[in-house]
Amino acid sequence: MWSANVSRADQLTISSISATSLAQEFGTPAFIMDEVDFYDRAKSWDQALGTAFGSHAGNVYYAAKAFICVEVARWIKEIGIGIDVCTGGELAVALAGGIDPSKIEVHGNNKSVAEIEKAVSAGVGTIVIDSLFEIDRVAAAAQKFGVVQDVLLRLTPGIEAHTHESIATAHEDVKFGFSIASGSAWQAIEATRTHASIALRGFHAHIGSQILDTDSFEISAERLIALLAKYRDTFKEELPELDLGGGYGIAYLPGDEELLPTVVMNALAQAVKENCAKYKLAHPRISIEPGRAIVGPTMFTLYEVGTIKDVTLENGNNRRYISIDGGMSENIRPALYSAEYTAVLANRTSNAPMLSTRLVGKHCETGDIVIREISLASDIAPGDLLATPATGAYGRSMASNYNHMPRPPVIAVKDGKARVILRRETEADLLRLDI
Ligand code: LLP
């Protein structure tokens, strides 16, 4: 939930820098990022993949959508893992960070021709094809630039993953990929084989996000392998790769479990081995795409309390509203997915009695709730600092300028030093697009 270098004694500190000094130096709201924890998490996924799959381990592709900026792209390069991008914008950041194009995998269910051409001409390692139209478009781009582009086909293995409806992606009724069950996957395979400028390397599936059990991942692998076998039986050759996507869940609340890299990689390795043996297939190279599990726990959001209000409810009870200086513009997840967070008093400790509280933002909207119900010290006052952990994934990356709020900065902390890696927007930034 909290990153490795956060501690809470007299006040919240990260790598021995206090929340108070971070707020003074960088202002609030701010995303505070534990740089060392990011490296450790990325490496632990890489190591777990390597240990579980040995010589059959492919790449960890960090899912940029969870959070990316140029500095983090440089870290990815230094760590030596790959990156999954799903738009031309994410591709631009990955390239600006110096990531080797061969370690870039390009996703998206509606890549424009311009995006495809940019990816192919940059020399990206893999394009994950999502529709029949795209087969022709990628083939044409590859022909234009005189290359043979490696591709995977994105498949929907028909799995109802145990997660929020909006972030489950592999049941039948979704916009992504080709369905195995309906035969559209087979149609895509045949269409791909008609083009000399694209090389089909294998299949991809991403079944959803914030998944906490290993079963759905194992079933997904099993279904992809069954299709690899059908391919081999039909065309008398084997495809060498599977990408099993991301989606590994993290802890948001005290007592929540997270899906550990070793646990899920070992379960997957077992499932892949068994199914390859069952179909007498050579073991394919296995890649994965964790986003949230790498970056999610590495950040917390630091807020300042602005106003406090006690409201009498219909049943006569009191509800305390604490307003902080951010809200749904930098954390849309509670409003969008009913996602739950916790918060702590960050600048001091308190022995005051706890009070049932609703933590809200400063947006002009009733649904601007960061935490619907939390027990917080009753002496919290304007000027106090609050911190919400586990906001690294889909926090800053989904932030908006709703109500013309400038988006908060990301401050990286390492070895007792804090620095801005993505600066705070200014009013000038907000005005820069107006004609
Ligand atoms: N690979 C593909 C093809 C994906 O679509 C995604 C996420 C990932 C990998 C990374 O999944 P992760 O390991 O981060 O769970 N905004 C939502 C999450 C949407 C995820 C979309 N795709 C949220 O805030 O929960």
Side-chain angles (χ1 to χ4, degrees):
M1 197 175 71
W2 294 98
S3 66
N5 299 295
V6 167
S7 69
R8 292 169 60 202
D10 293 346
Q11 64 164 298
L12 190 83
T13 61
I14 172 164
S15 185
S16 54
I17 307 182
S18 70
T20 309
S21 63
L22 287 167
Q24 268 162 5
E25 187 172 353
F26 302 105
T28 55
F31 288 96
I32 311 296
M33 183 175 200
D34 189 330
E35 182 172 340
V36 174
D37 198 43
F38 183 93
Y39 271 72
D40 289 348
R41 287 183 161 272
K43 285 180 186 163
S44 68
W45 282 97
D46 200 29
Q47 275 158 12
L49 179 77
T51 308
F53 289 100
S55 60
H56 307 299
N59 287 317
V60 171
Y61 293 102
Y62 169 66
K65 56 188 80 74
F67 174 71
I68 194 67
C69 63
V70 175
E71 179 66 2
V72 169
R74 291 187 196 110
W75 299 353
I76 298 289
K77 177 187 176 189
E78 194 181 309
I79 295 165
I81 58 173
I83 193 163
D84 136 22
V85 300
C86 69
T87 61
E90 288 181 357
L91 175 60
V93 178
L95 293 172
I99 294 178
D100 177 352
S102 71
K103 293 211 156 183
I104 301 179
E105 190 186 68
V106 179
H107 272 286
N109 68 301
N110 185 15
K111 308 170 188 76
S112 69
V113 170
E115 285 174 319
I116 292 170
E117 290 192 347
K118 194 171 148 195
V120 172
S121 63
V124 300
T126 308
I127 296 184
V128 183
I129 290 188
D130 196 285
S131 71
L132 290 174
F133 293 95
E134 215 171 73
I135 296 172
D136 297 336
R137 289 175 191 164
V138 174
Q143 207 167 17
K144 178 171 170 182
F145 294 103
V147 295
V148 175
Q149 178 65 54
D150 282 346
V151 301
L152 299 177
L153 292 176
R154 178 159 181 171
L155 306 182
T156 43
I159 290 165
E160 304 280 345
H162 306 293
T163 188
H164 188 278
E165 186 195 4
S166 309
I167 53 177
T169 47
H171 45 295
E172 294 295 331
D173 190 5
V174 287
K175 66 173 182 170
F176 293 109
F178 301 97
S179 150
I180 299 179
S182 77
S184 84
W186 199 255
Q187 204 188 344
I189 288 170
E190 286 177 336
T192 305
R193 286 178 57 90
T194 63
H195 293 280
S197 61
I198 49 180
L200 180 62
R201 302 277 303 163
F203 305 135
H204 168 281
H206 169 77
I207 58 173
S209 206
Q210 185 56 16
I211 297 170
L212 289 159
D213 60 280
T214 61
D215 310 3
S216 328
F217 293 110
E218 292 166 53
I219 298 169
S220 173
E222 187 183 321
R223 294 189 182 163
L224 296 191
I225 292 169
L227 197 66
L228 285 181
K230 182 176 170 191
Y231 185 99
R232 186 261 331 264
D233 295 345
T234 309
F235 301 114
K236 312 295 173 219
E237 63 189 50
E238 294 192 15
L239 294 173
E241 273 185 48
L242 284 186
D243 184 327
L244 300 173
Y248 316 114
I250 63 163
Y252 283 96
L253 300 177
D256 278 0
E257 300 276 333
E258 68 176 317
L259 196 48
L260 294 172
T262 47
V263 170
V264 62
M265 288 304 108
N266 291 343
L268 267 179
Q270 188 64 23
V272 171
K273 209 168 113 189
E274 278 171 20
N275 283 282
C276 287
K278 175 172 154 194
Y279 294 106
K280 299 192 172 49
L281 273 174
H283 197 305
R285 277 180 89 231
I286 303 292
S287 295
I288 54 167
E289 302 168 334
R292 188 190 315 263
I294 292 179
V295 75
T298 69
M299 293 191 218
F300 63 84
T301 312
L302 192 59
Y303 298 108
E304 187 179 299
V305 173
T307 64
I308 296 172
K309 199 176 278 181
D310 289 320
V311 172
T312 309
L313 306 178
E314 270 176 21
N315 62 10
N317 290 349
N318 207 46
R319 185 185 330 271
R320 172 155 294 187
Y321 278 83
I322 294 185
S323 297
I324 41 85
D325 50 357
M328 65 196 303
S329 54
E330 97 296 308
N331 190 354
I332 190 64
R333 300 191 70 257
L336 208 51
Y337 315 117
S338 306
E340 293 184 294
Y341 287 84
T342 188
V344 299
L345 181 58
N347 55 315
R348 62 183 176 92
T349 54
S350 167
N351 294 320
M354 302 299 262
L355 204 64
S356 164
T357 302
R358 182 165 286 179
L359 193 65
V360 296
K362 62 177 285 166
H363 290 274
C364 219
E365 186 160 328
T366 306
D368 175 27
I369 296 170
V370 179
I371 301 175
R372 188 162 283 276
E373 172 92 50
I374 180 169
S375 221
L376 286 175
S378 51
D379 66 347
I380 289 178
D384 274 328
L385 300 174
L386 294 177
T388 52
T391 55
Y394 309 105
R396 179 62 180 75
S397 74
M398 290 175 82
S400 75
N401 290 126
Y402 183 40
N403 294 146
H404 271 56
M405 288 273 282
R407 286 175 297 175
V410 178
I411 312 298
V413 180
K414 182 186 174 185
D415 302 335
K417 292 200 183 63
R419 67 199 169 104
V420 178
I421 60 167
L422 190 61
R423 73 162 169 81
R424 183 184 302 286
E425 280 181 325
T426 61
E427 273 183 15
D429 290 323
L430 296 179
L431 290 165
R432 76 181 185 274
L433 303 180
D434 285 270
I435 308 299

